[in-house]
Amino acid sequence: MHVQDEVRIPFSDASEALLLFGPHDAYLKLIEEKSPAQIMTREGELVISGDKPEVDKLTELIGVLLQLIRRGIALSERDISYAMMLVGRGEAVQLLDVYDEEVARTQRGKVIRAKTLGQRHYLSAIKKRDIVFGIGPAGTGKTYLAVVTAVNALKNGRVKRIVLTRPAVEAGESLGFLPGDLQEKVDPYLRPLYDALYDMLGNEQVAKMMERGLIEVAPLAYMRGRTLEDSFVILDEAQNTTPEQMKMFLTRLGFGSKMVITGDVTQVDLPKGKKSGLREAQRILGAIPDVAFIHFQEGDVVRHSLVQKIIAAYAKEEVDHGY
């Protein structure tokens, strides 16, 4: 026989309920869809009733979400979904630690925080290690957070410049067919790196810093023969490097520098038969304690909730049919 339970959670004021329920009660509907327990509102309080284990889970979820709201954190639908996933794994309290630290502020003053446990581990690894690999699906914030951390390091004088690079292999497209000189050809495929820089510094500041050599954005081939000292170096889309390119890149590390390498081993665009430098690096360097490998999961996707479902569907297809 199921033990029935009822818990009442008071709101401090009416605005708390609005923030918890979301626009047009979207967050409340999301919670109700996923939980068999019943949720009702009565005179400034939330009433949760149903089977005791479900009521306990929902009470923990609402308690954590209200703590975040009371800290002034604006929740999104994605935050609610992630919190529910953590409750299911018995890790809800860890959510308070995830949102604890303000990583940076954009040029417009928007606060940037880690949004998942994976992102928090990633940021922690970048602080502690000189070489960090961020591996996982699109939308997990791998590149964006690396650029944010690099800008912070430059502003605080911990490095003298930022170097951003990508291998020039793009989903079956050839740079040779794009119009314009080298810079105009390279810019479109380096766009995600620029977007993160513009977010943090603004277009004018980025242009000035590039002119002064404080920020360099270049194809991976431009790294050959250099030693990068006092630099924060980011290699994006690293799954499209060859093992030779990856070795060349990693051996550019100079004194006072950090390297962050990001990529998704399920999205390799190299010609058939060519090994991915990112996959090989995992195998070859995995035993070196000073090199950190952070693996992001589907749950770390911070884009639209549909992106998470799309990634999961493709992952299942790959397992079922091995395409």
Side-chain angles (χ1 to χ4, degrees):
M1 181 181 162
H2 295 291
V3 178
Q4 296 294 297
D5 195 10
E6 183 177 280
V7 171
R8 294 165 183 269
I9 301 172
F11 291 117
S12 301
D13 53 49
S15 69
E16 265 190 8
L18 289 171
L19 292 167
L20 178 68
F21 297 160
H24 309 296
D25 290 347
Y27 305 164
L28 181 61
K29 286 170 189 165
L30 187 64
I31 294 167
E32 286 176 329
E33 272 174 29
K34 298 277 172 76
S35 174
Q38 283 194 312
I39 306 171
M40 293 172 67
T41 48
R42 280 189 213 138
E43 296 167 5
E45 64 178 12
L46 196 67
V47 182
I48 304 167
S49 58
D51 290 348
K52 189 172 183 342
E54 293 301 329
V55 170
D56 289 347
K57 277 185 192 172
L58 218 45
T59 303
E60 187 180 19
L61 174 71
I62 301 299
V64 167
L65 294 176
L66 282 175
Q67 281 191 66
L68 292 174
I69 288 166
R70 285 163 190 165
R71 287 185 192 176
I73 292 165
L75 299 174
S76 67
E77 194 172 319
R78 205 236 141 255
D79 296 325
I80 306 297
S81 295
Y82 188 66
M84 289 169 76
M85 187 183 86
L86 289 186
V87 166
R89 294 191 333 212
E91 298 175 354
V93 179
Q94 289 194 54
L95 197 64
L96 299 174
D97 295 335
V98 169
Y99 290 87
D100 212 23
E101 191 185 346
E102 183 179 308
V103 179
R105 285 180 184 251
T106 67
Q107 193 221 4
R108 293 180 177 178
K110 184 185 168 192
V111 175
I112 298 169
R113 287 185 170 90
K115 290 277 193 171
T116 70
L117 292 172
Q119 288 191 350
R120 187 182 163 95
H121 294 323
Y122 181 55
L123 289 165
S124 174
I126 293 172
K127 269 186 192 168
K128 294 173 188 168
R129 302 276 193 271
D130 287 342
I131 296 180
V132 176
F133 286 80
I135 301 167
T140 47
K142 306 181 298 292
T143 304
Y144 187 81
L145 289 175
V147 174
V148 166
T149 313
V151 170
N152 268 357
L154 186 64
K155 281 181 174 175
N156 298 333
R158 291 197 298 274
V159 296
K160 290 179 182 168
R161 63 188 174 139
I162 297 171
V163 180
L164 307 174
T165 185
R166 274 181 154 194
V169 178
E170 286 295 297
E173 295 163 16
S174 166
L175 289 179
F177 291 105
L178 292 169
D181 61 19
L182 180 68
Q183 194 61 38
E184 288 169 324
K185 285 184 180 191
V186 163
D187 280 357
Y189 93 97
L190 292 167
R191 188 80 214 181
L193 298 173
Y194 281 114
D195 286 345
L197 284 173
Y198 292 151
D199 220 14
M200 288 300 294
L201 297 164
N203 297 24
E204 277 183 40
Q205 184 75 354
V206 170
K208 280 180 192 167
M209 291 172 96
M210 288 181 81
E211 272 175 37
R212 289 166 56 201
L214 298 175
I215 297 175
E216 180 184 349
V217 185
L220 182 57
Y222 280 43
M223 300 300 114
R224 195 172 295 280
R226 299 170 63 184
T227 301
L228 301 164
E229 297 197 345
D230 298 314
S231 304
F232 198 118
V233 194
I234 299 169
L235 169 58
D236 192 31
E237 297 289 337
Q239 73 275 7
N240 290 329
T241 59
T242 62
E244 295 78 18
Q245 285 175 323
M246 180 62 82
K247 182 185 173 188
M248 177 275 289
F249 174 77
L250 293 172
T251 53
R252 300 307 94 202
L253 181 72
F255 292 105
S257 288
K258 272 189 185 288
M259 282 184 164
V260 178
I261 299 98
T262 66
D264 177 1
V265 288
T266 68
Q267 297 288 325
V268 178
D269 297 319
L270 290 164
K272 273 207 182 328
K274 283 247 184 188
K275 284 183 177 176
S276 164
L278 183 57
R279 283 187 181 143
E280 289 291 285
Q282 286 183 89
R283 184 178 63 78
I284 295 165
L285 306 176
I288 300 177
D290 291 334
V291 176
F293 286 87
I294 305 297
H295 293 271
F296 292 90
Q297 310 300 325
E298 285 159 29
D300 292 306
V301 173
V302 291
R303 287 185 189 165
H304 194 290
S305 55
L306 252 182
V307 174
Q308 222 168 321
K309 291 172 186 169
I310 290 165
I311 290 165
Y314 272 101
K316 184 178 182 300
E317 178 74 9
E318 193 165 349
V319 169
D320 292 349
H321 303 289
Y323 78 89

